[in-house]
Amino acid sequence: MSAAPGSKGKVLLAYSGGLDTSCILVWLIEQGYEVLAYMANVGQEEDFDAAREKALKVGASKVFIEDLRRELVEELVIPTIQANAVYEAVYLLGTSVARPVIARSQVAIAQREGCTHVSHGCTGKGNDQVRFELAYYALDPKLQVIAPWRIPEFYHRFPGRNALLAYAAEKNVPVSQTPSKPWSTDENLFHISYEAGILEDPNVTPPKDMWKLTVDPEEAPNTPERITIEFKAGKPVRVTNEADGTDVSDPLDLFLYLNTVARRNGVGRIDIVENRFIGIKSRGCYETPGGTVLRAAHIDLEGLVLDREVRAYRDEHITPVFGKILYNGLYFSPEGDLITKMVPLTQTNVNGSVRVKLYKGTLSIEGRWSETETLYDMEQSSMDVQGDFEPTDSDGFIKIQSIRLKKWGSTFQQQKK
């Protein structure tokens, strides 16, 4: 028997407009909650007006649609690039970087509207349930979380898509007639992910029509495209492309343009198997066009302008840790707060420009320079010019470095005897 609507309090549901969250919305109302729907615009291709109308039609008392694109770029994407953050050496954290801004906005609305609960449509096997809920609890420990896909009453009632479709028909929930693709996706302006369905077999080659953002590298233009990216304190501040006359500096517009250029040249695809935080291995395919270009250019510039020991310390103690914090949903944590404050300290001298060539799914660096940083000295590095470096100074350097190796070598020779 259904409880009286609103008798159990207000819940703010993270709503996508799809089948799952539309059914969850109706089910929560059945359970006695007043349901408010929340959507975050993080750059995904979505008809937000249609989703708003759908949420109201199926019973939401209010719908909130928040444009978080600029926050995502300035507060998460750029620091991730500054840190060269990556998970398991290949995954550029496209889904992970969006979760903090989405969760923070959801909690703020829930507090403003007097909600007692928040809810989401994440599965019980994935990373996102962890990311969202740890953020909720860190930002407002008093909020209660409803995770339907971990509630036996819910997942036993809806064991598959057909059960959800039957429920939607019973409750007059509008359902798109578009055939369901044999994989699931998550999209924001940083990337799109594909997983589940036919992709669960790690040896199945993704069909060509799966890839949504980037041109098939084999079908990309036969002429290379060249751009220049300028950085200040590790942040991208300008992108120019003489071929099409582009000169962009606004952070959001800059990133969207990099997406455009990379997409049309087929740059940014990966297909990997990763280790989820909860302990399950998962196969995922990702398109991260602009992020791939930006990260490669940033890493290259650091080779020119960043002190060796600062870079080594950052690479060992900040880059992998920041990636793991984002992936595991611990952005709002003591360690997350610490690491985000450390990243800018490593970027003070990352000033300069990088010339990038994009061609048929690949990118290559064609040059870099800095007008302010002087760690690189052409004369000192030259094999043709001595400059102020005295070659005999290397004698002492090599002798000091060899002391322990001579000891080790002597011991090794004695053991052989």
Side-chain angles (χ1 to χ4, degrees):
M1 180 180 293
S2 298
S7 61
K8 292 185 179 179
K10 287 184 181 180
V11 56
L12 182 63
L13 170 66
Y15 182 71
S16 70
L19 177 63
D20 284 32
T21 52
S22 294
C23 288
I24 288 172
L25 196 161
V26 176
W27 182 80
L28 287 170
I29 294 172
E30 277 188 351
Q31 304 308 303
Y33 296 97
E34 177 187 348
V35 182
L36 293 73
Y38 157 70
M39 297 187 73
N41 177 0
V42 286
Q44 70 273 40
E45 294 182 5
E46 181 71 64
D47 187 339
F48 291 102
D49 290 335
R52 181 195 299 275
E53 291 179 12
K54 183 175 181 179
L56 292 171
K57 182 174 182 178
V58 299
S61 60
K62 291 183 180 180
V63 179
F64 303 90
I65 300 175
E66 302 294 307
D67 187 346
L68 306 178
R69 293 175 300 164
R70 186 169 296 278
E71 289 179 39
L72 174 57
V73 169
E74 295 181 352
E75 297 184 33
L76 271 299
V77 170
I78 289 177
T80 298
I81 296 298
Q82 288 179 299
N84 298 330
V86 65
Y87 181 72
E88 295 188 335
V90 287
Y91 174 46
L92 299 188
L93 302 160
T95 300
S96 313
V97 297
R99 295 326 187 210
V101 294
I102 295 173
R104 183 176 62 192
S105 179
Q106 186 177 2
V107 168
I109 294 171
Q111 292 172 329
R112 189 177 72 222
E113 295 296 319
C115 295
T116 52
H117 299 71
V118 289
S119 184
H120 59 74
C122 303
T123 71
K125 287 187 176 181
N127 290 315
D128 275 344
Q129 58 177 338
V130 180
R131 295 168 181 153
F132 279 120
E133 293 184 36
L134 292 183
Y136 296 154
Y137 291 130
L139 295 168
D140 189 341
K142 294 181 181 179
L143 275 176
Q144 299 178 65
V145 178
I146 303 173
W149 287 115
R150 296 206 310 270
I151 298 173
E153 177 188 350
F154 185 88
Y155 64 71
H156 287 315
R157 183 176 178 182
F158 305 110
R161 181 175 174 82
N162 288 336
L164 289 170
L165 287 170
Y167 182 70
E170 175 191 344
K171 299 297 180 180
N172 297 315
V173 176
V175 176
S176 170
Q177 297 303 309
T178 304
S180 176
K181 292 187 179 295
W183 54 76
S184 63
T185 65
D186 181 82
E187 182 181 5
N188 59 56
L189 57 76
F190 194 54
H191 93 152
I192 187 170
S193 65
Y194 310 89
E195 62 181 9
I198 63 171
L199 300 176
E200 289 176 352
D201 181 345
N203 197 33
V204 167
T205 301
K208 283 192 173 185
D209 66 350
M210 181 194 77
W211 303 102
K212 175 183 176 182
L213 300 183
T214 56
V215 170
D216 186 327
E218 295 178 0
E219 299 172 5
N222 293 322
T223 303
E225 188 162 9
R226 291 174 168 85
I227 60 175
T228 300
I229 306 175
E230 180 183 350
F231 293 87
K232 288 185 179 179
K235 298 180 179 181
V237 296
R238 187 183 184 190
V239 173
T240 55
N241 183 339
E242 292 185 6
D244 65 10
T246 295
D247 188 334
V248 59
S249 57
D250 175 79
L252 177 56
D253 293 340
L254 181 154
F255 194 79
L256 293 175
Y257 178 71
L258 286 176
N259 272 342
T260 299
V261 176
R263 288 175 67 165
R264 66 191 180 209
N265 287 282
V267 172
R269 295 182 179 185
I270 62 169
D271 178 348
I272 63 173
V273 175
E274 68 198 68
N275 291 291
R276 290 178 179 168
F277 187 23
I278 63 172
I280 297 173
K281 284 190 178 292
S282 171
R283 192 265 189 97
C285 299
Y286 302 98
E287 292 178 279
T288 315
T292 298
V293 175
L294 200 54
R295 184 173 187 269
H298 178 263
I299 290 174
D300 181 83
L301 180 61
E302 286 189 327
L304 180 72
V305 301
L306 196 58
D307 176 79
R308 181 184 71 178
E309 296 306 316
V310 171
R311 187 177 191 181
Y313 184 90
R314 193 278 317 279
D315 287 350
E316 181 177 355
H317 299 287
I318 297 177
T319 296
V321 175
F322 193 32
K324 191 173 181 180
I325 283 172
L326 283 173
Y327 190 85
N328 292 347
L330 293 167
Y331 183 80
F332 299 110
S333 66
E335 62 270 33
D337 183 56
L338 174 65
I339 210 78
T340 54
K341 290 174 179 175
M342 293 175 68
V343 170
L345 299 178
T346 69
Q347 297 295 291
T348 305
N349 301 109
V350 184
N351 305 301
S353 300
V354 180
R355 295 188 293 110
V356 183
K357 180 179 79 172
L358 300 94
Y359 181 64
K360 289 189 175 296
T362 66
L363 68 88
S364 54
I365 307 300
E366 295 194 319
R368 78 288 294 160
W369 76 93
S370 176
E371 297 177 354
T372 60
E373 307 307 313
T374 58
L375 285 182
Y376 183 86
D377 186 320
M378 288 181 63
E379 285 196 356
Q380 196 174 65
S381 301
S382 175
M383 295 296 181
D384 299 317
V385 179
Q386 182 171 317
D388 62 358
F389 184 86
E390 183 60 52
T392 56
D393 291 344
S394 295
D395 287 340
F397 178 79
I398 294 171
K399 287 177 181 178
I400 295 298
Q401 293 295 318
S402 70
I403 291 174
R404 67 184 183 90
L405 298 181
K406 289 179 177 179
K407 293 291 185 182
W408 175 81
S410 297
T411 301
F412 182 73
Q413 291 299 322
Q414 291 174 3
Q415 291 174 343
K416 285 178 65 177
K417 295 177 181 179

